[in-house]
Amino acid sequence: MAQKEYAGVMVDVNDEGYLENANQWTKEVAAAIAKENNLELTDKHYHVLDFLRERVAKGEALTIRSVGKSGVVDIKGFYELFPGAPLKLATKIAGVKKPLSCV
Amino acid sequence: MKKVVILGAGTAGTIMANKLAKMLDRKEWEIEVLDRNNIHYYQPGFLFIPFGIYSPKDVVKKKDAFIPRNVKFTVADILSIDAEENVVNLVGGEAIRYDILIVATGTVPTPSETPGLVGERWYKNIFDFYTFEGAVALHDYLKDFRGGKLVMTITELPYKCPIAPLEFVFLADAFFAKKGIRDKVEIIYTTPMSGAFTKPVATKMLSSVLEEKNITVVTDFYVEGVDEEKNIIRSYDGREVEFDGLVVVPVNLGEEFLASSGLVDDMNYVQVDKGTMQSVHKPNVFAIGDAANLPTSKAGSVAHFAADVLAENIVEYANGKAPSHQFDGHANCFIETGHGKGTLIDFDYTNEPLPGMYPLPGIGPMKLLGVTRLNHWGKLAFKLIYWEFLLKNRRLPVSSKFSLAGKKKV
Ligand SMILES: Cc1cc2nc3c(=O)[nH]c(=O)nc-3n(C[C@H](O)[C@H](O)[C@H](O)COP(=O)(O)OP(=O)(O)OC[C@H]3O[C@@H](n4cnc5c(N)ncnc54)[C@H](O)[C@@H]3O)c2cc1C
């Protein structure tokens, strides 16, 4: 398994740079991953990241719609916080698995 | 008498009724299946209707013809589940008590979730093929299509049969080529995912098929709405894709009546243990098929493989034991690639689709992730297998458990 250093911590990552182990995540690690993706995290970002981490810890699937309906942020806002491909980017920074497809 | 109630007589509910009719002690257990109508659609056939490969009558039979005689089949609209009282309420006011409940009510294409989709243009130049009506209307449209931009768009994940929209564009390519107007049609495929395929091995093998067929793929495209006046779909990040004809996979949601049951997630899928399929909220409730929030494809093949496991678990539960059989997420799908050829994928919760032979390791005769004529014939033969073997729970030479035998690690 590949390892990468973020904010002075070694974390396990997969081929696409997603954390393999959610327990290795810290706020500082998140900030470092965000920086790599040209993002500066604000409280709003962390609010969304906490929500994603909670959801995944409960074993629930993530979709942009479920984020949009959560009351944490609406879909437009989600795109503004994590531009381009928000779910892909936000899950990476949240240190959880990338939402999957079958093929 | 104790009672098992199965909600839904589609693929999953029908297979479960056939299995449990044989496996449960019938002196002790009564089985009742509820469905809102008596029409069983062979949904994989919906893909072929737009291209005139199947006619509407090829995909319709009566549901009760597939329910065993000693199982009660009731046509009724389900209103709600009261999971505290172990009761299912029907729209007419009747209540049905259960000891064990199996939810198999599938998933519902819900175009109204996307602004602008269902309006003046719905079934004029905007279609789905996930419903019988949509597939038939689309056939009439494509018959007379003279050229322009044909856009296939996926609005939300998860949706049933994840591969179907890709098959649709492959078949559209072949359809227009045959009509001699392929050079006049631009085929565009939009997806909220970061690629048409995302698993590494399948991506490598199948992306060339898209390229070869000159199909444009637009990724990370999450549809905000449709501008009917301008014939444009717009994504949340402001990108626009123009169309002449739009074919859409609408947002898929679990049945609305489940929302109040306390058993579902926010897309109305029943929350179950992904191994045992037992509800995480109520031990006497189970879910199977598209209705369950299993982290694998919503597909008939999954319902079929999962049924082997669930039937064992129901018998255990009925005998006062904890369900111990584990579903591995096994799924497989034939993928039509057009021009009389197809490919095949086989995977589970943890293993991605790999090349190899199936179902017999080394022998096949089906080739995984290879484009062959036999795979196409396999797909067409599947209709007969579905009606005659799968629904009736007759033995098939495929294992419900995923296996790496016969597959090549790439
Ligand atoms: C275009 C298309 C192509 C496909 N291709 C493939 C393929 O190639 N391979 C494959 O494996 N799968 C394929 N599938 C998917 C497959 O058809 C489904 O995954 C499968 O039918 C799921 O079975 P199910 O029993 O969970 O749901 P369904 O078969 O949809 O059955 C649900 C049943 O519940 C009933 N119901 C729901 N709500 C209520 C209510 N309130 N009251 C009463 N009754 C109710 C419905 O009437 C229905 O009969 C395809 C699907 C589509 C649309």
Side-chain angles (χ1 to χ4, degrees):
Chain A
M1 194 179 298
Q3 288 212 316
K4 202 161 170 177
E5 188 178 326
Y6 284 115
V9 192
M10 288 304 273
V11 296
D12 303 330
V13 292
N14 71 8
D15 308 344
E16 294 181 294
Y18 283 75
L19 257 58
E20 289 278 0
N21 181 352
N23 293 327
Q24 295 177 332
W25 185 89
T26 62
K27 283 185 101 160
E28 291 72 34
V29 168
I33 303 173
K35 201 153 186 191
E36 216 176 50
N37 290 278
N38 306 317
L39 265 189
E40 194 78 50
L41 297 184
T42 62
D43 286 350
K44 264 204 110 133
H45 286 99
Y46 280 112
H47 203 47
V48 175
L49 296 177
D50 286 341
F51 167 77
L52 297 180
R53 293 177 55 78
E54 260 169 49
R55 272 299 174 92
V56 172
K58 277 198 243 157
E60 287 170 26
L62 292 174
T63 62
I64 289 183
R65 156 181 312 266
S66 66
V67 178
K69 282 193 172 170
S70 64
V72 178
V73 66
D74 62 14
I75 297 179
K76 270 249 139 77
F78 192 33
Y79 268 86
E80 277 157 22
L81 290 174
F82 302 94
L87 201 56
K88 204 164 54 168
L89 191 55
T91 47
K92 191 173 213 172
I93 300 173
V96 295
K97 293 230 152 48
K98 181 175 163 185
L100 288 180
S101 82
C102 79
V103 278
Chain B
M1 282 286 256
K2 286 186 279 185
K3 190 163 184 180
V4 177
V5 172
I6 302 175
L7 304 184
T11 309
T14 304
I15 298 175
M16 284 308 295
N18 279 287
K19 283 190 183 291
L20 293 178
K22 288 199 195 118
M23 290 167 70
L24 282 174
D25 180 352
R26 304 309 305 281
K27 287 195 281 301
E28 237 184 287
W29 288 89
E30 184 186 346
I31 305 171
E32 179 167 2
V33 185
L34 302 172
D35 202 295
R36 61 160 68 99
N37 60 42
N38 193 17
I39 309 165
H40 194 128
Y41 290 112
Y42 173 61
Q43 297 176 38
F46 292 173
L47 173 71
F48 293 123
I49 290 177
F51 305 105
I53 302 169
Y54 282 177
S55 71
K57 69 172 180 359
D58 285 328
V59 302
V60 199
K61 289 193 195 287
K62 284 203 160 145
K63 279 182 173 131
D64 57 7
F66 298 90
I67 305 290
R69 247 181 274 281
N70 58 353
V71 166
K72 186 171 173 195
F73 177 64
T74 308
V75 174
D77 228 316
I78 303 153
L79 178 69
S80 63
I81 298 172
D82 185 340
E84 294 304 321
E85 299 294 328
N86 299 326
V87 158
V88 175
N89 297 303
L90 305 183
V91 166
E94 202 188 328
I96 294 181
R97 187 199 54 80
Y98 61 81
D99 295 284
I100 297 176
L101 183 70
I102 301 174
V103 183
T105 42
T107 182
V108 195
T110 315
S112 56
E113 287 281 311
T114 304
L117 206 53
V118 195
E120 287 279 293
R121 300 296 182 98
W122 187 239
Y123 290 3
K124 300 257 174 17
N125 68 332
I126 304 178
F127 303 87
D128 74 302
F129 65 91
Y130 270 52
T131 58
F132 180 73
E133 297 73 24
V136 172
L138 183 53
H139 172 61
D140 290 339
Y141 178 75
L142 289 182
K143 231 174 36 210
D144 302 325
F145 196 74
R146 297 269 168 269
K149 284 191 164 82
L150 185 71
V151 177
M152 172 80 241
T153 191
I154 297 158
T155 55
E156 180 60 287
L157 307 161
Y159 57 94
K160 61 179 149 186
C161 201
I163 218 73
L166 273 162
E167 296 182 277
F168 181 85
V169 288
F170 291 156
L171 288 175
D173 163 75
F175 177 80
F176 294 123
K178 204 165 165 199
K179 280 177 82 172
I181 58 166
R182 180 62 184 90
D183 57 337
K184 296 196 179 67
V185 185
E186 194 181 337
I187 303 178
I188 301 161
Y189 183 88
T190 87
T191 167
M193 304 290 297
S194 47
F197 310 96
T198 57
K199 293 287 165 77
V201 181
T203 301
K204 226 163 123 192
M205 312 278 296
L206 292 168
S207 294
S208 61
V209 182
L210 278 164
E211 242 180 72
E212 204 180 279
K213 295 179 190 297
N214 199 16
I215 292 161
T216 309
V217 179
V218 182
T219 59
D220 296 310
F221 193 90
Y222 193 78
V223 180
E224 181 180 9
V226 181
D227 187 330
E228 284 186 285
E229 308 263 289
K230 295 195 184 131
N231 282 336
I232 282 170
I233 48 173
R234 195 171 287 120
S235 69
Y236 276 98
D237 58 2
R239 281 179 290 161
E240 294 181 342
V241 173
E242 263 180 73
F243 62 84
D244 294 295
L246 179 66
V247 182
V248 58
V249 177
V251 173
N252 278 214
L253 296 174
E255 281 283 341
E256 176 77 47
F257 80 87
L258 288 163
S260 62
S261 66
L263 300 168
V264 295
D265 66 15
D266 55 15
M267 295 183 88
N268 289 341
Y269 294 124
V270 182
Q271 294 174 304
V272 292
D273 179 280
K274 71 173 187 179
T276 61
M277 288 169 274
Q278 185 174 35
S279 160
V280 298
H281 302 289
K282 284 275 162 191
N284 64 336
V285 176
F286 296 80
I288 183 167
D290 297 348
N293 76 334
L294 299 174
T296 185
S297 292
K298 296 199 178 299
S301 66
V302 172
H304 170 216
F305 298 138
D308 278 354
V309 177
L310 183 58
E312 298 283 357
N313 282 343
I314 298 282
V315 172
E316 277 178 324
Y317 188 81
N319 292 320
K321 294 193 211 113
S324 69
H325 292 73
Q326 296 288 317
F327 180 50
D328 58 7
H330 188 195
N332 56 34
C333 313
F334 284 107
I335 308 172
E336 276 297 289
T337 52
H339 302 282
K341 291 189 178 171
T343 183
L344 178 65
I345 53 174
D346 189 57
F347 56 99
D348 71 358
Y349 286 143
T350 47
N351 295 285
E352 64 173 309
L354 295 170
M357 299 303 279
Y358 188 85
L360 299 174
I363 298 169
M366 303 297 172
K367 201 167 174 194
L368 296 164
L369 282 177
V371 177
T372 68
R373 288 201 179 274
L374 197 64
N375 286 339
H376 162 72
W377 290 113
K379 176 124 190 166
L380 291 187
F382 201 73
K383 176 156 68 84
L384 185 83
I385 293 174
Y386 182 83
W387 294 125
E388 291 305 321
F389 288 84
L390 211 119
L391 290 180
K392 295 177 179 168
N393 189 36
R394 293 195 176 134
R395 267 190 74 79
L396 283 165
V398 294
S399 166
S400 60
K401 283 227 177 330
F402 175 83
S403 160
L404 276 171
K407 299 193 173 75
K408 288 192 260 313
K409 271 276 178 204
V410 185

